mmCIF file of all heavy atoms in Angstrom:
data_model
loop_
_atom_site.group_PDB
_atom_site.id
_atom_site.type_symbol
_atom_site.label_atom_id
_atom_site.label_comp_id
_atom_site.label_asym_id
_atom_site.label_seq_id
_atom_site.Cartn_x
_atom_site.Cartn_y
_atom_site.Cartn_z
ATOM 1 N N ILE A 432 -1.673 34.776 -17.038
ATOM 2 C CA ILE A 432 -1.967 33.815 -15.946
ATOM 3 C C ILE A 432 -2.096 32.434 -16.562
ATOM 4 O O ILE A 432 -1.551 31.411 -15.996
ATOM 5 C CB ILE A 432 -3.217 34.186 -15.154
ATOM 6 C CG1 ILE A 432 -2.995 35.426 -14.359
ATOM 7 C CG2 ILE A 432 -3.722 33.044 -14.336
ATOM 8 C CD1 ILE A 432 -4.223 35.986 -13.688
ATOM 9 N N ALA A 433 -2.773 32.338 -17.739
ATOM 10 C CA ALA A 433 -2.839 31.032 -18.414
ATOM 11 C C ALA A 433 -1.434 30.527 -18.849
ATOM 12 O O ALA A 433 -1.191 29.416 -18.732
ATOM 13 C CB ALA A 433 -3.785 31.153 -19.634
ATOM 14 N N ASP A 434 -0.659 31.446 -19.417
ATOM 15 C CA ASP A 434 0.696 30.965 -19.827
ATOM 16 C C ASP A 434 1.507 30.504 -18.697
ATOM 17 O O ASP A 434 2.220 29.523 -18.765
ATOM 18 C CB ASP A 434 1.414 32.190 -20.542
ATOM 19 C CG ASP A 434 0.709 32.641 -21.836
ATOM 20 O OD1 ASP A 434 -0.003 31.792 -22.377
ATOM 21 O OD2 ASP A 434 1.125 33.720 -22.340
ATOM 22 N N LEU A 435 1.425 31.197 -17.575
ATOM 23 C CA LEU A 435 2.215 30.807 -16.386
ATOM 24 C C LEU A 435 1.778 29.511 -15.820
ATOM 25 O O LEU A 435 2.622 28.654 -15.370
ATOM 26 C CB LEU A 435 2.151 31.915 -15.280
ATOM 27 C CG LEU A 435 2.983 33.158 -15.541
ATOM 28 C CD1 LEU A 435 2.676 34.304 -14.632
ATOM 29 C CD2 LEU A 435 4.465 32.787 -15.419
ATOM 30 N N SER A 436 0.532 29.195 -15.865
ATOM 31 C CA SER A 436 0.040 27.895 -15.422
ATOM 32 C C SER A 436 0.577 26.782 -16.289
ATOM 33 O O SER A 436 1.056 25.775 -15.719
ATOM 34 C CB SER A 436 -1.516 27.931 -15.383
ATOM 35 O OG SER A 436 -2.024 26.675 -15.032
ATOM 36 N N ALA A 437 0.556 26.938 -17.607
ATOM 37 C CA ALA A 437 1.032 25.952 -18.485
ATOM 38 C C ALA A 437 2.564 25.796 -18.379
ATOM 39 O O ALA A 437 3.052 24.627 -18.361
ATOM 40 C CB ALA A 437 0.711 26.297 -19.929
ATOM 41 N N LEU A 438 3.261 26.926 -18.205
ATOM 42 C CA LEU A 438 4.765 26.845 -18.056
ATOM 43 C C LEU A 438 5.121 26.123 -16.777
ATOM 44 O O LEU A 438 6.128 25.382 -16.772
ATOM 45 C CB LEU A 438 5.350 28.247 -18.063
ATOM 46 C CG LEU A 438 5.335 28.949 -19.499
ATOM 47 C CD1 LEU A 438 5.594 30.458 -19.307
ATOM 48 C CD2 LEU A 438 6.317 28.330 -20.428
ATOM 49 N N GLY A 439 4.468 26.419 -15.684
ATOM 50 C CA GLY A 439 4.780 25.721 -14.486
ATOM 51 C C GLY A 439 4.530 24.274 -14.494
ATOM 52 O O GLY A 439 5.371 23.420 -14.029
ATOM 53 N N GLN A 440 3.445 23.877 -15.142
ATOM 54 C CA GLN A 440 3.191 22.409 -15.386
ATOM 55 C C GLN A 440 4.225 21.727 -16.167
ATOM 56 O O GLN A 440 4.670 20.629 -15.937
ATOM 57 C CB GLN A 440 1.788 22.291 -15.993
ATOM 58 C CG GLN A 440 1.452 20.857 -16.465
ATOM 59 C CD GLN A 440 1.632 19.787 -15.387
ATOM 60 O OE1 GLN A 440 1.530 20.022 -14.155
ATOM 61 N NE2 GLN A 440 1.763 18.502 -15.821
ATOM 62 N N ARG A 441 4.666 22.437 -17.263
ATOM 63 C CA ARG A 441 5.700 21.887 -18.162
ATOM 64 C C ARG A 441 7.010 21.748 -17.350
ATOM 65 O O ARG A 441 7.700 20.731 -17.558
ATOM 66 C CB ARG A 441 5.933 22.782 -19.405
ATOM 67 C CG ARG A 441 6.977 22.240 -20.271
ATOM 68 C CD ARG A 441 7.027 23.074 -21.608
ATOM 69 N NE ARG A 441 8.155 22.612 -22.441
ATOM 70 C CZ ARG A 441 8.119 21.529 -23.186
ATOM 71 N NH1 ARG A 441 7.093 20.667 -23.209
ATOM 72 N NH2 ARG A 441 9.193 21.226 -23.936
ATOM 73 N N PHE A 442 7.342 22.683 -16.514
ATOM 74 C CA PHE A 442 8.536 22.597 -15.719
ATOM 75 C C PHE A 442 8.543 21.324 -14.892
ATOM 76 O O PHE A 442 9.529 20.544 -14.847
ATOM 77 C CB PHE A 442 8.610 23.817 -14.803
ATOM 78 C CG PHE A 442 9.982 23.941 -13.975
ATOM 79 C CD1 PHE A 442 11.060 24.606 -14.462
ATOM 80 C CD2 PHE A 442 10.035 23.204 -12.805
ATOM 81 C CE1 PHE A 442 12.218 24.668 -13.663
ATOM 82 C CE2 PHE A 442 11.231 23.239 -12.090
ATOM 83 C CZ PHE A 442 12.293 23.985 -12.496
ATOM 84 N N GLU A 443 7.372 21.058 -14.161
ATOM 85 C CA GLU A 443 7.319 19.863 -13.276
ATOM 86 C C GLU A 443 7.313 18.626 -14.078
ATOM 87 O O GLU A 443 7.929 17.607 -13.677
ATOM 88 C CB GLU A 443 6.128 20.040 -12.442
ATOM 89 C CG GLU A 443 6.213 21.079 -11.422
ATOM 90 C CD GLU A 443 5.277 20.886 -10.176
ATOM 91 O OE1 GLU A 443 4.145 20.389 -10.444
ATOM 92 O OE2 GLU A 443 5.681 21.173 -9.033
ATOM 93 N N SER A 444 6.637 18.585 -15.229
ATOM 94 C CA SER A 444 6.642 17.413 -16.060
ATOM 95 C C SER A 444 8.006 17.048 -16.563
ATOM 96 O O SER A 444 8.426 15.843 -16.578
ATOM 97 C CB SER A 444 5.672 17.610 -17.249
ATOM 98 O OG SER A 444 4.365 17.742 -16.782
ATOM 99 N N GLN A 445 8.759 18.008 -17.020
ATOM 100 C CA GLN A 445 10.139 17.750 -17.523
ATOM 101 C C GLN A 445 11.050 17.251 -16.422
ATOM 102 O O GLN A 445 11.901 16.405 -16.597
ATOM 103 C CB GLN A 445 10.642 18.914 -18.300
ATOM 104 C CG GLN A 445 9.882 19.273 -19.492
ATOM 105 C CD GLN A 445 10.624 20.237 -20.453
ATOM 106 O OE1 GLN A 445 10.459 20.198 -21.651
ATOM 107 N NE2 GLN A 445 11.560 21.067 -19.913
ATOM 108 N N LEU A 446 10.848 17.828 -15.242
ATOM 109 C CA LEU A 446 11.718 17.463 -14.079
ATOM 110 C C LEU A 446 11.405 15.969 -13.728
ATOM 111 O O LEU A 446 12.278 15.192 -13.466
ATOM 112 C CB LEU A 446 11.447 18.337 -12.859
ATOM 113 C CG LEU A 446 12.170 18.006 -11.588
ATOM 114 C CD1 LEU A 446 13.682 17.938 -11.864
ATOM 115 C CD2 LEU A 446 11.866 18.985 -10.503
ATOM 116 N N LEU A 447 10.119 15.619 -13.703
ATOM 117 C CA LEU A 447 9.730 14.187 -13.426
ATOM 118 C C LEU A 447 10.280 13.264 -14.530
ATOM 119 O O LEU A 447 10.843 12.192 -14.188
ATOM 120 C CB LEU A 447 8.223 14.092 -13.380
ATOM 121 C CG LEU A 447 7.630 12.695 -13.161
ATOM 122 C CD1 LEU A 447 8.167 12.061 -11.818
ATOM 123 C CD2 LEU A 447 6.106 12.741 -13.131
ATOM 124 N N ASP A 448 10.118 13.628 -15.758
ATOM 125 C CA ASP A 448 10.597 12.787 -16.810
ATOM 126 C C ASP A 448 12.144 12.649 -16.808
ATOM 127 O O ASP A 448 12.630 11.532 -17.014
ATOM 128 C CB ASP A 448 10.203 13.433 -18.213
ATOM 129 C CG ASP A 448 8.716 13.319 -18.448
ATOM 130 O OD1 ASP A 448 8.035 12.552 -17.766
ATOM 131 O OD2 ASP A 448 8.193 14.049 -19.313
ATOM 132 N N ALA A 449 12.816 13.703 -16.512
ATOM 133 C CA ALA A 449 14.308 13.583 -16.400
ATOM 134 C C ALA A 449 14.654 12.753 -15.225
ATOM 135 O O ALA A 449 15.648 11.999 -15.385
ATOM 136 C CB ALA A 449 14.890 14.989 -16.254
ATOM 137 N N THR A 450 13.984 12.835 -14.140
ATOM 138 C CA THR A 450 14.326 12.049 -12.991
ATOM 139 C C THR A 450 14.064 10.539 -13.274
ATOM 140 O O THR A 450 14.930 9.656 -12.950
ATOM 141 C CB THR A 450 13.469 12.421 -11.764
ATOM 142 O OG1 THR A 450 13.732 13.866 -11.504
ATOM 143 C CG2 THR A 450 13.776 11.618 -10.550
#
Side-chain angles (χ1 to χ4, degrees):
I432 291 173
D434 291 346
L435 283 167
S436 177
L438 287 165
Q440 167 59 19
R441 179 172 175 77
F442 183 98
E443 291 202 323
S444 294
Q445 294 197 152
L446 179 56
L447 176 61
D448 290 343
T450 302

